[in-house]
């Protein structure tokens, strides 16, 4: 790594569902907003619904973040409330790179949902 380049870690953490909903509705920093919501909002149902909404997004980065978000929610809460709906959405994904992400998340679900 070049000594002049320092990686900066950003801790995204949003605790207000209203603010998150507004940012998402305005298509504002969607990836960071999804990550921040999962880090800061303690409402599993709401978080799952948020991620489900973005699993099939046309933007690869957004869809990827939503899919990984499902894994994060499972890790945090040790369960998924909408597992059937999530798997249905996962089954509709056609991008091969996202299918790899789904495989990773499904492997994680086997661990977290025991």
């Amino acid at each position: 790594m070049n000594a002049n380049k320092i990686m900066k870690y950003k801790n995204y953490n949003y605790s207000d569902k209203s603010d998150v909903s507004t940012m998402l509705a305005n298509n504002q920093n969607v990836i960071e907003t999804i990550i921040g919501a999962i880090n800061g909002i303690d409402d599993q149902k709401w978080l799952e619904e948020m991620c489900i909404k973005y699993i099939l997004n046309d933007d690869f980065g957004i869809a990827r973040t939503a899919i990984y978000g499902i894994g994060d929610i499972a890790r945090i809460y040790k369960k998924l409330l909408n597992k059937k709906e999530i798997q249905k959405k996962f089954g509709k994904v056609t991008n091969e790179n996202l299918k790899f992400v789904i495989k990773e998340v499904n492997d994680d679900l086997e661990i977290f949902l025991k």
Side-chain angles (χ1 to χ4, degrees):
M1 180 197 242
N2 185 332
N4 294 328
K5 291 186 179 183
I6 298 173
M7 287 181 56
K8 289 187 180 182
Y9 174 77
K10 291 192 176 187
N11 183 16
Y12 299 106
N13 192 319
Y14 300 113
S15 58
D16 187 311
K17 287 190 274 188
S18 178
D19 288 347
V20 169
S21 294
T22 299
M23 287 187 280
L24 293 174
N26 293 331
N27 209 26
Q28 179 184 349
N29 301 322
V30 175
I31 292 171
E32 293 87 351
T33 303
I34 292 171
I35 294 167
I38 293 168
N39 288 339
I41 294 174
D42 186 18
D43 183 339
Q44 181 181 1
K45 182 177 188 295
W46 190 87
L47 292 170
E48 284 187 31
E49 290 170 356
M50 175 192 65
C51 287
I52 288 168
K53 178 180 175 185
Y54 289 96
I55 289 171
L56 297 175
N57 194 281
D58 290 335
D59 182 290
F60 175 83
I62 292 171
R64 180 179 176 268
T65 301
I67 294 165
Y68 276 129
I70 295 295
D72 291 337
I73 292 166
R75 176 182 47 78
I76 293 165
Y77 293 98
K78 306 295 186 226
K79 64 182 176 183
L80 287 176
L81 303 173
N82 299 295
K83 189 173 182 183
K84 286 182 185 177
E85 185 178 355
I86 289 164
Q87 291 301 329
K88 188 186 232 185
K89 289 274 189 178
F90 282 0
K92 292 181 179 180
V93 170
T94 57
N95 180 304
E96 290 301 319
N97 292 325
L98 288 176
K99 286 183 180 184
F100 175 76
V101 173
I102 289 169
K103 183 189 178 323
E104 284 187 324
V105 168
N106 279 330
D107 289 347
D108 288 346
L109 295 182
E110 288 182 29
I111 296 166
F112 300 138
L113 302 181
K114 285 188 176 191

